[in-house]
Amino acid sequence: MASDVRPVRPKAHRLKRLRHEGLKPPVRTGEAPTPNAVLDCGWGRLLFAQTFETADPLVEALRAEGPDRRDIAFYVRNPHVLLAQAPQEVFLDPSHTYRLDLATYRAGRRQPRGFAIRRLTSEADAQAVNEIYARRRMVQAPPDFLWTHRDDRTLTYLVAEDSVTGAVIGTVTGVNHVRAFEDPECGASLWCLAVDPQATQPGVGEALVRRLAEHFKTHGLAHMDLSVMHDNEQAIALYEKLGFRRVHFFGVKRKNPINEALFVGPSDDQDLNPYARIIVDEARRRGIHTEIVDAEGGLFRLTWGGRTVRCRESLSEVTSAVALSICDDKRMTRRIVEAAGVRVPERVDADDPAAIAAALETHGSLVVKPARGEQGQGVAVGLSQPDAVEAAVARARRICPEVLVEEQVRGEDLRLVVIDYKVVACALRRPPRVIGDGRSTLRALIEHQSRRRAAATGGESTIPVDDETERTLAEAGLGLDDVAPEGVEVMVRKAANLHLGGTIHDVTEEVHPALIRAAVSAARAIDIPVTGIDLMVTSPREPDYAFIEANERPGLANHEPQPTAERFVDLLFPLSATASARTAARPPA
């Protein structure tokens, strides 16, 4: 059998160059590489194909992949030979390989703004890294693996930490090839670059890549490689800007459920938005037949065991038309949940200037929203002047003739996802913000942040530059063409709507029981089995709240890694879940 890869030979000229540049050559450089080298990375194993003389042992190593892991055979030069050995078991990964020459690499001059790069140092860091992996739909690594390897000389874990909150907002893993398999090429590689999709700071990914490159350069390594999906245009643009160039090495993976989307080819769900796709993926994982009726509208049909249910994202046939009509009319929703004992904000007559003036005197600011509408359209928050309220009412009536004016309840926007009258996920929703850099206009920063939000949400979240955005900036004494000082955070809209650029932050494990009870009471009053209940709260850990609205089609994908899609499919097809899951979900006697 011909070799799947050309064996690597020691290269003395690399040693000479390293010494000439004053860098210490890595330990054991110049020796032959370790044969059949495999490195466990937690989420799977890296199989260094250049250390395998023939394809047979490499295929056998891929067959040894563990459950729920993703092994990668990397640096395959002749993939056709390897694929011919096991065409039903392995496939060619549709990714490009890029290389950064560390000898010519120059560190960036710009310092991170609003965050810092450091090593992984705690078990909490390890858990936070996994949470970011889950939000990015990446294979997770056991937290204890990350923690126990924090000082490993082969694996380097870097994290980006928010300077204000201390939260981990990004991560990257580096592999030292000399330590891994005595690489005579003096190489290294970058893996698992991930940024929290809710992070607002610019340049987190670039800062992580640069810090890892500088780390490997100081250790005398010659280059840093990475693998990136061929259609990830934003990532490729970043890497090329930093000096990476494409090299012709390939990756080969096993045909397993994790990799299915990479080897089955285009399907009929390519145009589904993230909110429909997360449910379709969960149904297919369980063997439930799925039929895409209208991808653009998020409409699909699920069939299992003789039962068929049509869904539009998380809105299904199990939600009655009556419940849907209640959620559609915010005035009726208020009346229904208030009658059930759920606290609602004080309402003001939109056509009574005297009542509006009195409410402003009492509450300080008001909220205006159309009685019917979605995705935050026509909503204005924090109105403190009668003329601003009047203008907002006029704008809201372009969406719906009936308009609600309510007291502005101070606090944060909490979304609770209720499925089968149980709270499955809770998250704080925060208005969109940008961080000044001392150079860019607010308009440019908003456009940049909007592109990031769109990329993180499959195009579902963007920040519009409209009257509401300009009004919010004006209240802070700023305009779109002003330059905010470096490091200063600027709120650009007051409504915490995800479709309008807001961010979401999971707080499921810390929500006060009173808020859970309020959400369930509201869902039962409306008699809706799947809903997103929005409350204004002083803190998710305190019992104070005010009901804002109920959403009949909550975006389940916004709450990963909470099991929202799993619980939704459980509701539709209870017997499709495993016996252990059905037992766990059963209420106590």
Side-chain angles (χ1 to χ4, degrees):
M1 171 58 62
S3 172
D4 69 308
V5 61
R6 188 184 313 151
V8 176
R9 302 300 180 197
K11 294 195 175 181
H13 73 276
R14 292 194 181 277
L15 288 174
K16 183 176 180 181
R17 185 180 68 181
L18 288 170
R19 294 191 181 98
H20 176 72
E21 294 170 355
L23 299 175
K24 185 175 76 171
V27 179
R28 295 185 296 276
T29 299
E31 298 181 10
T34 303
N36 298 350
V38 176
L39 176 67
D40 187 3
C41 297
W43 42 262
R45 301 174 304 157
L46 284 178
L47 286 61
F48 295 96
Q50 67 268 50
T51 68
F52 289 75
E53 287 290 338
T54 63
D56 290 337
L58 188 53
V59 169
E60 288 302 316
L62 282 168
R63 285 173 176 152
E65 178 183 68
D68 298 321
R69 302 291 91 184
R70 173 181 278 163
D71 289 354
I72 304 173
F74 200 44
Y75 296 107
V76 180
R77 293 181 187 267
N78 299 310
H80 55 291
V81 177
L82 183 58
L83 297 179
Q85 284 294 99
Q88 302 303 318
E89 298 179 72
V90 299
F91 70 98
L92 183 64
D93 182 38
S95 296
H96 295 326
T97 303
Y98 277 80
R99 171 167 292 180
L100 180 67
D101 187 340
L102 296 177
T104 59
Y105 170 74
R106 295 294 177 264
R109 296 180 179 179
R110 296 177 62 179
Q111 295 299 312
R113 302 183 301 277
F115 64 94
I117 307 297
R118 59 173 175 79
R119 296 287 290 262
L120 183 147
T121 59
S122 68
E123 293 182 78
D125 285 348
Q127 186 61 45
V129 166
N130 259 333
E131 290 173 0
I132 293 177
Y133 287 169
R135 294 186 191 111
R136 288 299 190 179
R137 299 191 180 185
M138 298 163 62
V139 181
Q140 299 180 52
D144 59 344
F145 180 94
L146 301 177
W147 171 240
T148 56
H149 288 77
R150 65 190 182 281
D151 296 323
D152 195 295
R153 294 187 177 183
T154 301
L155 292 165
T156 298
Y157 296 106
L158 300 180
V159 298
E161 179 186 86
D162 187 299
S163 300
V164 176
T165 66
V168 172
I169 58 174
T171 179
V172 71
T173 301
V175 176
N176 184 322
H177 293 181
V178 176
R179 295 286 182 182
F181 63 96
E182 298 180 352
D183 180 17
E185 296 276 352
C186 300
S189 54
L190 176 155
W191 300 91
C192 299
L193 175 65
V195 178
D196 188 332
Q198 310 304 328
T200 58
Q201 298 88 335
V204 176
E206 177 177 343
L208 286 163
V209 175
R210 285 189 178 277
R211 180 62 63 84
L212 189 62
E214 292 158 14
H215 169 76
F216 284 140
K217 183 182 176 88
T218 59
H219 281 70
L221 298 181
H223 59 258
M224 181 172 73
D225 297 340
L226 58 82
S227 178
V228 58
M229 284 295 295
H230 69 96
D231 58 355
N232 192 344
E233 296 178 358
Q234 282 193 320
I236 289 173
L238 168 63
Y239 298 140
E240 291 180 342
K241 183 185 80 169
L242 296 179
F244 284 82
R245 59 182 177 83
R246 188 176 168 191
V247 290
H248 294 286
F249 302 114
F250 301 94
V252 171
K253 299 175 180 175
R254 279 191 69 241
K255 292 181 178 179
N256 61 23
I258 293 175
N259 296 323
E260 183 177 5
L262 301 177
F263 64 81
V264 298
S267 66
D268 58 353
D269 65 355
Q270 293 302 303
D271 294 328
L272 288 177
N273 63 35
Y275 309 116
R277 184 176 295 112
I278 189 176
I279 299 170
V280 169
D281 288 347
E282 173 63 19
R284 287 175 174 170
R285 186 184 67 80
R286 300 189 189 193
I288 296 171
H289 176 71
T290 64
E291 178 187 352
I292 310 303
V293 179
D294 182 61
E296 185 177 352
L299 188 66
F300 53 91
R301 183 182 290 112
L302 304 179
T303 303
W304 191 81
R307 172 179 167 82
T308 297
V309 181
R310 286 203 307 172
C311 306
R312 184 185 178 196
E313 300 169 9
S314 63
L315 176 63
S316 73
E317 293 173 353
V318 302
T319 295
S320 70
V322 173
L324 178 63
S325 66
I326 292 172
C327 290
D328 183 54
D329 187 338
K330 295 180 177 63
R331 299 166 302 171
M332 188 188 301
T333 310
R334 279 177 50 95
R335 295 194 297 268
I336 294 292
V337 300
E338 186 177 18
V342 177
R343 194 244 165 171
V344 299
E346 180 184 327
R347 185 181 172 187
V348 183
D349 187 346
D351 296 314
D352 186 344
I356 290 174
L360 286 172
E361 182 70 25
T362 302
H363 302 295
S365 58
L366 301 176
V367 176
V368 170
K369 53 189 173 183
R372 289 186 171 88
E374 59 181 11
Q375 299 183 355
Q377 296 181 3
V379 176
V381 179
L383 305 169
S384 57
Q385 299 296 327
D387 57 345
V389 175
E390 182 181 354
V393 168
R395 289 195 299 269
R397 280 184 168 146
R398 299 172 194 166
I399 308 296
C400 174
E402 301 297 331
V403 173
L404 272 76
V405 179
E406 298 176 336
E407 67 168 295
Q408 169 79 57
V409 179
R410 303 296 177 183
E412 295 192 276
D413 187 323
L414 179 69
R415 161 65 62 89
L416 300 96
V417 177
V418 182
I419 299 177
D420 198 16
Y421 305 106
K422 303 178 187 68
V423 172
V424 177
C426 309
L428 288 175
R429 303 192 301 174
R430 292 180 175 139
R433 310 160 190 265
V434 297
I435 297 177
D437 60 6
R439 295 183 299 274
S440 306
T441 65
L442 286 168
R443 186 189 303 275
L445 291 175
I446 291 171
E447 291 173 351
H448 176 78
Q449 177 69 0
S450 187
R451 288 193 298 270
R452 292 187 64 197
R453 295 296 300 137
T457 61
E460 292 294 312
S461 178
T462 57
I463 306 175
V465 177
D466 57 13
D467 292 344
E468 178 65 14
T469 303
E470 292 190 44
R471 185 182 68 81
T472 303
L473 292 177
E475 288 188 4
L478 297 168
L480 287 168
D481 296 321
D482 291 335
V483 175
E486 183 172 354
V488 173
E489 186 176 77
V490 179
M491 182 185 296
V492 299
R493 296 180 74 86
K494 291 190 175 182
N497 188 281
L498 296 179
H499 291 277
L500 301 180
T503 57
I504 187 164
H505 309 268
D506 184 75
V507 292
T508 304
E509 301 302 323
E510 53 187 284
V511 171
H512 195 280
L515 307 182
I516 299 290
R517 290 193 295 269
V520 174
S521 295
R524 288 196 179 280
I526 300 169
D527 196 18
I528 185 167
V530 179
T531 182
I533 301 296
D534 294 340
L535 307 177
M536 288 298 295
V537 300
T538 54
S539 165
R541 294 176 291 277
E542 297 179 11
D544 300 325
Y545 75 90
F547 174 87
I548 302 302
E549 65 181 28
N551 191 306
E552 75 281 358
R553 185 162 46 99
L556 303 186
N558 294 327
H559 297 272
E560 291 183 297
Q562 299 301 332
T564 52
E566 291 93 322
R567 299 294 85 81
F568 178 76
V569 178
D570 288 347
L571 172 69
L572 302 186
F573 304 99
L575 297 181
S576 70
T578 63
S580 60
R582 293 198 302 272
T583 301
R586 189 179 301 130

